[in-house]
Amino acid sequence: MSLEINCHLRRGKFNLEVHLTVAPGAVLAISGENGSGKTSTLDMIAGLLACTSGKISLNGKVFDDSTTSQFVQPELRGVATVFQGGGLFGHLTVEKNVIFGRGAAYRNTPRFDSAIEQFNLAELLSRKPSTLSGGQRQRVALARAFLAPSEVLLLDEPTTSLDATSRDEVRSAMKTFFETYNGVVVLVSHDDAEIDELATNVARITILRGENTTAVLHD
Amino acid sequence: MKRGLSAPRGLWLIALPTVAIVIVPVLAVFWRTDWSSFLTSISNETSRTALVLSLRTSLVATSLALVFGTPVAWLLANRDFKFKSLVRAFCVLPMVLPPVVGGVALLFAFGRRGVVGARLDEWFGIQLAFTETAAIMAQFFVAAPFFILVMEAAFDQVDRRIVGAARTFGAGPWRTFVTVTLGLVRPSLLAALVLTWARALGEFGATIAFAGNTAGRTQTVPLAVYSQLESGGDDALALSTLMMIVAVSVLIALRGRWVSALRRGGQ
């Protein structure tokens, strides 16, 4: 029972090789230089990008398999995402952002109330994302990911470009979140302190430069 | 002397003619309008029929641009396909084409002896040329490119990560498009609709070539203005004033938003 990734992504002269196995309850941190393929790895897990070749599966369910041409659309994968900058819907209020999609089933339930309380959003529910600080936006994104049932939680540099105070605030919100989360967590981060504090495993992308660049991600 | 960085000396003087050639005629129309007879002029039989026809055809043409232009704009912004630049070039071709040439082209395509029109007539007994439908088609032909251009820029500005987030949280492609993408581009969409409608309302060249100038059937306001001017009637000025008021209202309503929409998708 785990998230298994053995795949290859080719984009022009850039090659990304990913071999990872992450068990539920684990928090895998991925680090590596800019442009090395960290976000592409998350995109392949989420289904926003298809592997060029190889296979991704979760608990035995195939997400993507180049040999059988199987590809499960992102909305059917049960994956929750927290992107850099939040990835919030700018035209919707905080409340509508939090209950978007699968979360809609939990409107007016204790689960919703605890999401709002845990990420301290009670005062912000009717605001639009553009009026929030970076830290507040990430808390909204985390609450959205918390409310929607998921088996995989993907976080793409959630604290990059935040000031020190907001970073601590978001980091502690993530910590509480991870403690009760049963699924697989994959966290892309540049920040060693963050990785030390939150991750149970670390994978670093190594880059081999030649005529073609190959980035390899191994656990 | 004013404090601050100086502009090239005399630039104001060189800029003046451009501004004047637009402002002077606008003011002239308002200046010469006989305001005491304005309402009677725009509410007589011919004017009223033309106004109602113009309103109806331009709204239908704009709705068609919304329904059929939106997918074109989205595909141009989001998908790579063969001959994409060619498709884009054809979509905006009517913007650089003399409208009357567009009307002639429509006539040779959909007219009674046109490439498609002859078949329509032969098989279904449908005749398009010189009907209200032709007026709508002419307006669509000329105005839809504005819609597509503004909306392609708008769709292009939508953050792919945000659309991706919507997908991962369980919204399918259509639901994501309707609840997220369209929501994000709403300001541009409104600007595009108003701009397209204004262009359709003012259409003249393609209409007169393809739909003709029949009072009560295909004579829209611009054609009525032209006919009045030709026959020396007094209503040309009043109708022009009305169109001018509409155009100025549109610009005030948009407050330059369509310019920024064209530039960066209006986000």
Side-chain angles (χ1 to χ4, degrees):
Chain A
M1 294 295 273
S2 56
L3 174 68
E4 287 178 42
I5 312 162
N6 285 294
C7 67
H8 186 103
L9 178 73
R10 190 187 182 86
R11 282 186 147 179
K13 292 201 164 188
F14 178 78
N15 289 281
L16 174 65
E17 193 80 50
V18 186
H19 301 282
L20 292 174
T21 305
V22 200
V27 178
L28 175 75
I30 298 177
S31 68
E33 55 188 273
N34 281 331
S36 61
K38 302 186 298 294
T39 298
S40 296
T41 304
L42 293 192
D43 282 354
M44 287 193 288
I45 301 170
L48 302 176
L49 208 56
C51 304
T52 312
S53 64
K55 186 172 170 180
I56 299 176
S57 65
L58 175 70
N59 303 335
K61 281 181 301 188
V62 175
F63 276 179
D64 189 350
D65 187 343
S66 61
T67 57
T68 60
S69 296
Q70 268 174 290
F71 183 84
V72 177
Q73 292 294 322
E75 61 269 24
L76 304 172
R77 292 192 180 194
V79 171
T81 48
V82 176
F83 292 130
Q84 192 179 349
L88 299 180
F89 311 121
H91 60 301
L92 300 177
T93 60
V94 166
E95 181 175 11
K96 294 224 164 106
N97 265 280
V98 173
I99 59 167
F100 186 89
R102 289 193 298 278
Y106 297 92
R107 189 180 206 161
N108 304 322
T109 62
R111 187 184 168 103
F112 174 78
D113 297 337
S114 66
I116 297 309
E117 200 200 320
Q118 185 170 332
F119 299 100
N120 194 17
L121 298 176
E123 310 286 304
L124 308 175
L125 285 178
S126 57
R127 301 253 297 262
K128 288 276 180 72
S130 58
T131 68
L132 303 178
S133 71
Q136 288 171 327
R137 263 181 241 163
Q138 287 301 4
R139 277 172 15 221
V140 176
L142 284 166
R144 181 171 68 180
F146 176 89
L147 189 65
S150 64
E151 292 175 89
V152 180
L153 172 62
L154 305 175
L155 304 105
D156 193 1
E157 303 192 28
T159 61
T160 303
S161 74
L162 294 184
D163 61 62
T165 324
S166 315
R167 194 157 52 222
D168 291 343
E169 184 187 292
V170 171
R171 209 175 278 170
S172 74
M174 283 195 283
K175 197 167 181 176
T176 344
F177 187 171
F178 296 170
E179 278 162 8
T180 55
Y181 187 71
N182 302 320
V184 172
V185 180
V186 181
L187 167 70
V188 164
S189 180
H190 270 305
D191 187 330
D192 289 332
E194 182 170 295
I195 293 173
D196 284 345
E197 190 180 342
L198 298 172
T200 57
N201 311 47
V202 184
R204 188 169 288 277
I205 297 190
T206 48
I207 295 190
L208 314 164
R209 286 185 206 280
E211 199 194 327
N212 294 311
T213 301
T214 303
V216 183
L217 182 54
H218 242 295
D219 45 358
Chain B
M1 281 296 277
K2 263 181 91 175
R3 296 176 61 248
L5 201 62
S6 63
R9 200 179 289 272
L11 212 58
W12 283 102
L13 221 61
I14 310 171
L16 203 62
T18 312
V19 182
I21 203 158
V22 179
I23 290 183
V24 172
V26 172
L27 291 180
V29 165
F30 284 111
W31 181 260
R32 292 293 291 274
T33 301
D34 182 356
W35 294 99
S36 58
S37 65
F38 178 69
L39 279 180
T40 25
S41 283
I42 60 163
S43 60
N44 70 38
E45 182 70 29
T46 324
S47 303
R48 221 176 45 229
T49 320
L51 276 169
V52 171
L53 182 73
S54 262
L55 212 56
R56 188 168 61 224
T57 52
S58 60
L59 287 175
V60 173
T62 307
S63 311
L64 292 174
L66 171 68
V67 173
F68 297 109
T70 305
V72 176
W74 190 90
L75 288 169
L76 285 174
N78 286 287
R79 284 285 177 271
D80 281 317
F81 49 87
K82 255 191 186 166
F83 308 120
K84 179 167 163 174
S85 341
L86 200 67
V87 170
R88 186 189 284 117
F90 270 106
C91 284
V92 297
L93 179 69
M95 287 179 89
V96 290
L97 205 64
V100 69
V101 174
V104 169
L106 283 168
L107 196 60
F108 278 96
F110 300 105
R112 206 149 60 89
R113 297 205 202 129
V115 180
V116 180
R119 310 287 175 285
L120 285 177
D121 190 12
E122 192 183 322
W123 295 341
F124 308 106
I126 296 174
Q127 289 178 20
L128 292 171
F130 309 111
T131 63
E132 191 176 320
T133 309
I136 294 168
M137 286 169 75
Q139 291 176 4
F140 179 82
F141 181 88
V142 170
F146 287 85
F147 184 83
I148 292 171
L149 206 68
V150 174
M151 288 316 291
E152 185 194 344
F155 286 134
D156 200 45
Q157 286 292 311
V158 172
D159 187 343
R160 307 275 189 281
R161 313 295 299 163
I162 293 176
V163 175
R167 295 295 295 274
T168 63
F169 282 104
W174 269 107
R175 214 173 124 218
T176 301
F177 178 72
V178 173
T179 60
V180 175
T181 308
L182 284 186
L184 290 170
V185 300
R186 215 174 71 128
S188 303
L189 184 64
L190 292 178
L193 284 174
V194 174
L195 189 65
T196 306
W197 174 72
R199 184 67 193 84
L201 189 70
E203 216 306 299
F204 177 82
T207 313
I208 203 163
F210 183 45
N213 187 6
T214 320
R217 216 151 67 112
T218 64
Q219 192 181 71
T220 54
V221 174
L223 299 181
V225 169
Y226 173 74
S227 295
Q228 282 287 317
L229 208 56
E230 285 276 274
S231 65
D234 299 329
D235 301 339
L237 191 60
L239 281 172
S240 298
T241 309
L242 184 68
M243 296 289 271
M244 204 78 97
I245 292 170
V246 170
V248 172
S249 312
V250 162
L251 286 185
I252 291 172
L254 289 176
R255 268 175 250 117
R257 236 182 296 175
W258 73 274
V259 181
S260 59
L262 272 174
R263 262 206 306 255
R264 53 183 180 79
Q267 300 286 304

